[in-house]
Amino acid sequence: MERSGRGEMNVSTARRQLNDGSWMPLLGFGTWKSEPEMVGDAVSAAIDAGYRHIDGAYSYMNEAEVGAAVKRKISEGVVTREDLFIVSKLWCTFHAPEDVKPSVMETLHNLQLTYLNLYLIHFPVGFQKVPGELLPRHEGRVLVSEIDYVDTWKAMEALVDEGFVKSIGVSNFNISQLQRLLSKARIFPAVNQVELHPYLTQTELVEFCMSRNIALTAFSPLGSPGRSLVFLNESADPKDLLKDPVVKMIAEKHSKSPAQILLRFHIQRNIATIPKSISPERICKNTEVFDFELTEGDLHLLLGLNRNWRVCQMKIVQDHRFYPFTDS
């Protein structure tokens, strides 16, 4: 983590260096599940609040609105393009090497940008490409492909060579998949974006990535409290991490909100995190995580909440050879 003194760190300046020399802000703004008619105002509010890391993806189906908001803030002089760290992800239907460049070009067109700061393989399992379908199905089964993510990665490397992306990485990859990719890659993955929160600490994966200088970005850092019923896991679902007694106790101790404690939990360990909100008030509150520090005891208690509970399980493809969640 780049530091210039504890009191001087804020959402705009707290960042970590990636293995390719680039710098990634530790607190980002997530756009997953943000409706197109709302996400533009939310991104504008985030940039006004100091966020410089904007996380998106083709599959979120809101990139045009995100791009319009970014363009507006640049034209207003609030930020320059160089101030921003813009992330998108290659969707599963575009894993064929010949589809990788057209996919990033579509994303760049939607975002009205000439390059991305970071482009990730969204998930190691590929799907068959069916026009207009994010999750192609036949008789209730997802139409998966057998394209090797290593071959997809080689096409990702070419995007760096051509200047369309500054850094490349992966999302939802497990340890064995990362090891295999590292053994074959010309450009090592700079980032692995995965679900992380105190109910899913993934300690072995975190330690592995840190040992290989692969930065981590934590998605669903608050346990995805606004998730739809499709993401509820019946009786095993803890429902609301924000209401956990330990989280609430630590929040009261520091005179902070549970959400601020959960974000600080990652940032203090040099893990980037990308909370999502459409509320300007919450967007601002989520930046107030740089004026306090969790104690070692706090961190121990939060890590002790782990129950290996995952919001995003993608069980619909759990029989695929590249399904990542059977490995720690």
Side-chain angles (χ1 to χ4, degrees), residues 273-306:
T273 188
I274 45 173
K276 167 259 177 184
S277 179
I278 57 172
S279 163
E281 181 181 3
R282 287 180 182 172
I283 288 169
C284 288
K285 284 290 185 184
N286 286 344
T287 70
E288 298 173 6
V289 293
F290 299 100
D291 58 351
F292 76 104
E293 290 188 1
L294 298 172
T295 66
E296 288 300 317
D298 295 334
L299 292 172
H300 179 76
L301 287 172
L302 291 168
L303 288 167
L305 295 177
N306 181 57

Side-chain angles (χ1 to χ4, degrees), residues 83-221:
D83 293 330
L84 297 172
F85 189 90
I86 307 292
V87 184
S88 189
K89 306 177 189 76
L90 177 79
W91 184 238
C92 305
T93 50
F94 305 120
H95 276 204
E98 64 270 19
D99 290 332
V100 172
K101 183 175 178 180
S103 182
V104 80
M105 297 307 291
E106 182 176 356
T107 282
L108 289 172
H109 172 77
N110 290 339
L111 291 171
Q112 302 182 64
L113 299 175
T114 58
Y115 69 92
L116 294 172
N117 296 86
L118 177 64
Y119 198 42
L120 307 175
I121 297 178
H122 205 150
F123 199 72
V125 177
F127 302 158
Q128 293 181 31
K129 187 170 70 169
V130 177
E133 296 288 334
L134 286 176
L135 200 65
R137 296 174 183 260
H138 178 67
E139 296 181 350
R141 294 183 63 86
V142 177
L143 298 174
V144 296
S145 78
E146 291 299 321
I147 295 169
D148 192 329
Y149 58 80
V150 170
D151 295 328
T152 307
W153 184 256
K154 292 175 182 177
M156 297 278 285
E157 292 175 328
L159 300 180
V160 178
D161 299 335
E162 295 184 74
F164 295 116
V165 301
K166 300 293 186 182
S167 303
I168 51 177
V170 296
S171 182
N172 297 298
F173 274 50
N174 64 31
I175 292 173
S176 61
Q177 290 167 339
L178 289 170
Q179 287 174 321
R180 181 167 177 261
L181 193 57
L182 288 169
S183 72
K184 297 177 180 294
R186 175 171 58 89
I187 300 174
F188 288 172
V191 172
N192 187 19
Q193 184 179 125
V194 296
E195 182 179 342
L196 287 175
H197 45 72
Y199 287 165
L200 184 70
T201 56
Q202 302 205 72
T203 303
E204 291 182 14
L205 177 63
V206 169
E207 291 176 353
F208 176 84
C209 288
M210 290 182 173
S211 73
R212 300 301 194 279
N213 198 19
I214 300 171
L216 285 156
T217 298
F219 73 76
S220 295

